[in-house]
Amino acid sequence: MSDVIKDLSELRLTYQKGELHEAEVDTQPHEQFLSWFNYALQAGLHEPYAMSLATANAQGRPHVRTVLLRGATETGYDFYTNYDSQKGLDLAVNPYAELLFYWPVLERQIRVHGRVEKISEQESTEYYHKRPHDSQVAAHISQPQSGVISSREELQQRFQTLQQQVENQPLEKPVFWGGYRLHPEYYEFWQGRPNRLHDRLSYERIDGHWKLQRLMP
C-alpha cells in the first residue's frame, strides 16, 4: 500500500505563461471565448472541449461532472445527455448552471454561467445520428442514467443484446435523450500569474450589454 499524503501545503506551481489585459480582450465575451478555445485546439490540448458542468437540485445540493461541449454560438453552449440523468433532473427544477473549462497547460480557465433550456427535438435528433453507432446503442441501454445496475457484466450484456438486434441499422433517438443549451449571462476569464496575483476578467450582461470588470485574484 502506498504512503498516504498527509501534507499538501508545499505542493504548488508558479504560473507564468501569460497575461490578461482589459485593452487586449474582445468587447464581446463569446468572441473572447472563441479566441481562447481555438488557441487551445490549435495547441493540441487533450479534449479542450471537455467542461465541468455544475447544477443544483431543488434543495440547493450541487452536482458537478465532466461533459463535452457540442456547440458554441453567441446564443449558447450545447451539451447532450439523458433527460433522466442527475443533471437532467436538476435542470428540470433549477434551470441555472455553470460551465468550467480548465486548460492547465495554458494556465487558463473560463467560467460561463447562465440559464439552461432544452434544444429543439430536431437539433437533438440531427446530432444523435452524427454519433458513432455504438454510442447510439449506449444511449438506449443506459436508462435510467445514474441508476443502479448489478454489475459491469449486466451492462455489457444489455449493450451486446441491442447491438445484435439492430445489426448496425439506424436507431431512433430515444425520447429520454437530447440536448441542452446554456444561455450565458456571466463569463470569467482566468489567467494564472506569479505570486498568485492572477488575472481575472469578468463579463456580466446588464440591461442587454456586457460589462467588463477586473476581479481581485
Side-chain angles (χ1 to χ4, degrees), residues 41-100:
L41 281 175
Q42 293 164 8
L45 271 59
H46 177 69
E47 290 192 326
Y49 43 85
M51 58 189 184
S52 297
L53 167 68
T55 59
N57 62 18
Q59 291 73 43
R61 176 171 293 184
H63 302 100
V64 182
R65 76 291 283 164
T66 301
V67 297
L68 301 180
L69 178 68
R70 285 305 183 221
T73 68
E74 289 185 2
T75 303
Y77 299 82
D78 299 350
F79 60 92
Y80 293 81
T81 188
N82 187 309
Y83 293 143
D84 297 327
S85 65
Q86 184 64 60
K87 45 192 171 296
L89 297 176
D90 285 355
L91 291 169
V93 296
N94 180 3
Y96 287 91
E98 184 158 301
L99 308 175
L100 172 67

Side-chain angles (χ1 to χ4, degrees), residues 149-166:
I149 192 166
S150 63
S151 65
R152 173 74 188 185
E153 288 71 24
E154 180 185 346
L155 180 66
Q156 198 68 39
Q157 184 58 53
R158 288 188 186 184
F159 182 81
Q160 292 172 352
T161 298
L162 184 55
Q163 259 190 334
Q164 293 168 1
Q165 289 175 351
V166 299

Side-chain angles (χ1 to χ4, degrees), residues 205-216:
R205 186 183 287 278
I206 300 175
D207 296 329
H209 301 281
W210 290 105
K211 183 177 181 180
L212 175 64
Q213 298 183 104
R214 176 170 290 271
L215 306 179
M216 291 286 287

Side-chain angles (χ1 to χ4, degrees), residues 95-108:
Y96 287 91
E98 184 158 301
L99 308 175
L100 172 67
F101 297 84
Y102 177 48
W103 303 314
V105 172
L106 303 178
E107 298 174 354
R108 287 177 173 177

Side-chain angles (χ1 to χ4, degrees), residues 14-19 107 191-198:
T14 296
Y15 300 111
Q16 50 190 4
K17 291 187 176 179
E19 300 177 354
E107 298 174 354
Q191 177 72 62
R193 297 293 300 275
N195 304 315
R196 296 299 186 266
L197 298 179
H198 308 306

